[in-house]
Amino acid sequence: MTAATGTQAVDRAALLVSTVVESDEPVAFAELAEESGLPKSTVSRLLTALERTQLVERTEGGEYVAGGLFARFASRYESVELARVAQPVLRALGDITGETVNLGIPRGDTVLHVAQVDSTFLLGTRDWTGVEVPNHASALGKVLLASGVIRMTGSLIALTDRTITDRAELAAALDDVRRQGWAATADELEVGLAGVAVPVCNGHGEVVGALGISGPTPRLAGRHEALAQLLTDQAAQLTAVLGHSPKEGVA
């Protein structure tokens, strides 16, 4: 294959990808062949290669949409961008409370900690960035479970005597989270560790993450509601930066 022929193949494949990605609806094979002006055999061969590399994929009806590679890139970009724009909010919460502040996002059915501001106290908490924590035992996890952006899979492992291990009890706890707009834990993940968290929405009003404060249980005792209100106010500012103004009366 000559360099010119190789370049031509890349150009043709790029044309098919751009047509699929820029379309608001799934694109049929015949439409791709017509718009590209390429022989159907060439379009078929290129689409097969593009499917193998996850640049396009087929729907149940056989039409073409953007492949999983684009979704993974978009998810990674969104998490990096969210962590970046959230830094002023995390720092403000850290300055006000002195406690550890975390931002978590859904990654599959887990919570991925993407940003943290450390506690100013000598007795603080560890660096949770990049650490996977059981959803049912963390405030961030409960928020995202209650929002429906992640699911509770597997068994509810008892990490301490305070960990919720009954699914009916967890469901009731998640109902409370939805009702009050925030979640709290105390000694559920680790004895002596407590946390409070609220949801973070994007520019479309969709929950894309959770903002939380954690610290020693005795220091956070009796402060859950006050911390939740502080988190809610800061999360609203973050949501405004992301381009959405919450409607009055909506938690």
Side-chain angles (χ1 to χ4, degrees):
M1 178 182 290
T2 66
T5 303
T7 301
Q8 185 182 58
V10 171
D11 288 342
R12 289 173 169 178
L15 174 60
L16 294 177
V17 171
S18 64
T19 301
V20 170
V21 171
E22 292 177 4
S23 175
D24 293 330
E25 302 289 341
V27 186
F29 175 86
E31 185 179 350
L32 284 170
E34 181 179 350
E35 290 196 15
S36 66
L38 298 172
K40 290 183 178 180
S41 58
T42 300
V43 173
S44 178
R45 185 172 63 253
L46 291 173
L47 287 173
T48 298
L50 293 172
E51 282 188 86
R52 282 200 304 269
T53 53
Q54 299 182 49
L55 286 167
V56 301
E57 60 185 45
R58 273 182 284 188
T59 65
E60 291 184 0
E63 297 168 314
Y64 290 87
V65 294
L69 192 63
F70 286 97
R72 289 197 296 276
F73 173 78
S75 175
R76 186 178 299 118
Y77 175 80
E78 183 172 291
S79 67
V80 170
E81 183 65 8
L82 180 58
R84 183 187 67 80
V85 301
Q87 281 301 318
V89 167
L90 269 65
R91 287 196 296 268
L93 285 167
D95 290 342
I96 294 169
T97 65
E99 303 292 355
T100 302
V101 185
N102 286 98
L103 178 67
I105 64 168
R107 180 60 56 85
D109 284 321
T110 63
V111 181
L112 178 66
H113 293 71
V114 295
Q116 174 170 315
V117 167
D118 294 331
S119 170
T120 59
F121 293 101
L122 183 61
L123 181 60
T125 56
R126 59 171 288 177
D127 183 0
W128 298 98
T129 307
V131 176
E132 184 177 320
V133 175
N135 301 329
H136 66 296
S138 76
L140 295 178
K142 287 182 181 180
V143 163
L144 297 184
L145 283 170
S147 301
V149 293
I150 63 173
R151 300 172 301 164
M152 191 64 234
T153 58
S155 58
L156 304 182
I157 300 172
L159 302 168
T160 75
D161 290 341
R162 295 288 302 276
T163 307
I164 297 176
T165 57
D166 180 78
R167 286 190 175 273
E169 184 181 349
L170 178 62
L174 297 181
D175 284 340
D176 289 340
V177 173
R178 284 186 284 269
R179 175 181 52 79
Q180 64 193 14
W182 54 274
T185 57
D187 304 325
E188 295 176 43
L189 176 64
E190 181 179 291
V191 174
L193 178 65
V196 181
V198 302
V200 174
C201 296
N202 64 9
H204 303 291
E206 303 162 333
V207 174
V208 294
L211 183 64
I213 290 172
S214 61
T217 301
R219 206 159 62 215
L220 268 60
R223 301 172 59 199
H224 289 178
E225 289 191 19
L227 291 173
Q229 185 58 59
L230 177 61
L231 283 165
T232 298
D233 293 342
Q234 293 296 321
Q237 292 188 35
L238 179 53
T239 296
V241 172
L242 294 174
H244 174 68
S245 297
K247 296 180 181 178
E248 186 176 351
V250 178

